Amino acid sequence: MNNLYQLDEFHKKSYFQRLLKKEPKENALIEVNNLLASKELNEIKHEDIESISLKYKVDLYKSFSVELKEFYQRYLKKCLEDDILTDAELNDLKLLKNILILNDNDVNEIHNAIASNIYKKSYDDIIKDGKIEKAEQDLIDKLQKNLKLPDDIANKISAESRKYLVESEIKKIISDARVSPEEWDELNAITKNLDVTLNIGEATKSQLEKMKLYWAIENAELPIKQVEINLQNGELCYYKTTVDWLELRTITKRLNYSGPTYRIKIMKGFYYRAGSMNVQRITSDVLSEIDSGALYVTNKRLIFDGRTS
């Protein structure tokens, strides 16, 4: 215990505290700390904590719940340095829980947070090569048991870690906007080994296909596509897509502006309108759609097959 909790000095009384004969409430927490630093857990009685509360006229849990939880957290971390909770350590933690006036929710929250971090670190290390061997699975299952980590938390960590690894692998292989067959096969092997389903949308799937094609253009023999248009002798089509043909066109707009006007009565029912008039013309370049259709990339040329061309 002495390695975890060190004796601390009490706060001095302020002028008004001396005048009113009151103790600094912060000293109540220091007394709890010093109690943990000077005695073994099994030597501390519940009456010791009650006497501190009475002495300082303070509800320790309401006033210092955060600090009391930190005392418990510090001890639990020490117990889990070897990644296992022994029966003796579990008994000590139960004693400490009662000494610090903590409830089940408090200790469960602290325990699950610390155990989760340990479990996640070990799990991430095991799956970093994209697979889990049986011996490794047995090891991580044993760790979960030793940490007393609930199944639902362990399963959530497992799912999130595997998903994150696959997403990281995808980001890595598309970082150069090229996807080789080896990279794609390796990604599929990882998803299979880790039992992760790739939820790829149509837009992402289309981008991946383009990246595969970019790699093939630079490194492999291009796949030949069968197309419905007539090609020249020896001409081969490698790519087809739907495109819009846009061109910059200059457009002139006429803007009419009429200033203040007034009417002059000529006779009953007839009026003459008078005023100022200003006509302006503004030109601008805009992209205008010329046509849309299919674009073919061959070993000889680019072919556009539009609706009107």
Side-chain angles (χ1 to χ4, degrees):
M1 296 293 291
N2 291 331
N3 293 330
L4 294 174
Y5 311 104
Q6 301 296 322
L7 291 172
D8 199 0
E9 294 183 359
F10 293 107
H11 293 292
K12 293 181 179 180
K13 294 181 182 180
S14 67
Y15 171 78
F16 289 105
Q17 286 172 335
R18 291 196 302 272
L19 186 66
L20 299 173
K21 297 182 179 180
K22 287 188 175 182
E23 296 287 340
K25 289 188 176 182
E26 296 81 1
N27 285 344
L29 184 65
I30 294 176
E31 284 224 30
V32 175
N33 173 80
N34 291 347
L35 198 61
L36 294 171
S38 59
K39 292 185 177 183
E40 296 296 330
L41 290 179
N42 56 10
E43 296 174 352
I44 303 174
K45 307 300 181 185
H46 184 67
E47 291 76 12
D48 297 329
I49 303 300
E50 286 186 341
S51 65
I52 295 175
S53 296
L54 292 173
K55 177 181 177 180
Y56 293 93
K57 298 178 181 179
V58 62
D59 185 320
L60 286 170
Y61 185 82
K62 287 185 178 179
S63 300
F64 303 108
S65 62
V66 173
E67 292 82 356
L68 295 174
K69 291 176 185 177
E70 197 279 330
F71 286 152
Y72 186 91
Q73 182 185 70
R74 198 185 309 173
Y75 191 86
L76 179 59
K77 283 183 176 179
K78 182 67 176 177
C79 293
L80 288 175
E81 283 182 349
D82 58 356
D83 297 340
I84 187 172
L85 281 176
T86 65
D87 291 339
E89 289 170 336
L90 288 171
N91 185 60
D92 285 345
L93 287 167
K94 186 176 181 180
L95 291 173
L96 185 59
K97 169 196 167 187
N98 294 330
I99 291 170
L100 299 176
I101 331 169
L102 300 177
N103 56 49
D104 289 340
N105 289 335
D106 292 331
V107 298
N108 287 338
E109 182 179 341
I110 295 169
H111 174 88
N112 290 339
I114 296 174
S116 293
N117 287 335
I118 297 172
Y119 183 84
K120 184 179 187 309
K121 183 178 179 181
S122 297
Y123 195 90
D124 288 344
D125 188 59
I126 283 177
I127 67 171
K128 65 183 179 182
D129 60 352
K131 57 184 177 181
I132 304 179
E133 304 290 350
K134 185 181 184 306
E136 293 174 327
Q137 186 62 56
D138 292 341
L139 186 65
I140 202 68
D141 289 343
K142 183 179 179 181
L143 176 63
Q144 180 195 344
K145 182 179 179 181
N146 291 338
L147 292 174
K148 307 293 192 261
L149 187 66
D151 287 342
D152 59 328
I153 296 178
N155 292 337
K156 182 179 180 182
I157 292 172
S158 167
E160 290 177 349
S161 292
R162 288 181 285 118
K163 179 182 177 183
Y164 179 79
L165 180 70
V166 170
E167 290 176 348
S168 298
E169 188 66 22
I170 293 175
K171 289 179 181 178
K172 184 174 72 175
I173 69 173
I174 68 173
S175 60
D176 59 353
R178 306 291 187 272
V179 177
S180 69
E182 292 77 12
E183 288 174 328
W184 187 247
D185 290 343
E186 183 179 355
L187 176 62
N188 285 322
I190 290 174
T191 59
K192 182 179 179 181
N193 292 334
L194 298 181
D195 193 24
V196 176
T197 301
L198 275 180
N199 294 318
I200 300 178
E202 289 301 319
T204 303
K205 188 181 296 184
S206 176
Q207 288 296 320
L208 287 170
E209 291 301 321
K210 287 181 180 179
M211 292 180 187
K212 291 180 187 179
L213 179 61
Y214 297 157
W215 185 92
I217 291 173
E218 295 174 351
N219 300 278
E221 186 175 337
L222 295 177
I224 299 173
K225 290 188 173 293
Q226 300 299 320
V227 293
E228 61 278 6
I229 62 172
N230 294 323
L231 300 177
Q232 299 173 357
N233 290 333
E235 186 175 17
L236 302 173
C237 181
Y238 296 129
Y239 184 68
K240 174 190 175 183
T241 188
T242 301
V243 298
D244 294 321
W245 178 8
L246 305 176
E247 286 186 2
L248 273 176
R249 295 293 175 89
T250 300
I251 296 179
T252 301
K253 293 183 178 179
R254 174 177 172 174
L255 299 179
N256 294 332
Y257 169 75
S258 58
T261 62
Y262 57 92
R263 296 193 306 170
I264 301 174
K265 184 176 181 180
I266 299 176
M267 64 180 63
K268 186 176 180 180
F270 293 90
Y271 296 88
Y272 173 76
R273 182 182 296 274
S276 61
M277 184 71 68
N278 184 24
V279 179
Q280 295 180 339
R281 285 183 172 81
I282 297 178
T283 61
S284 59
D285 292 330
V286 297
L287 278 173
S288 300
E289 182 176 326
I290 306 302
D291 201 354
S292 63
L295 177 69
Y296 302 87
V297 180
T298 76
N299 59 335
K300 294 185 177 182
R301 54 183 172 153
L302 295 177
I303 304 172
F304 175 73
D305 184 18
R307 296 192 306 254
T308 60
S309 60

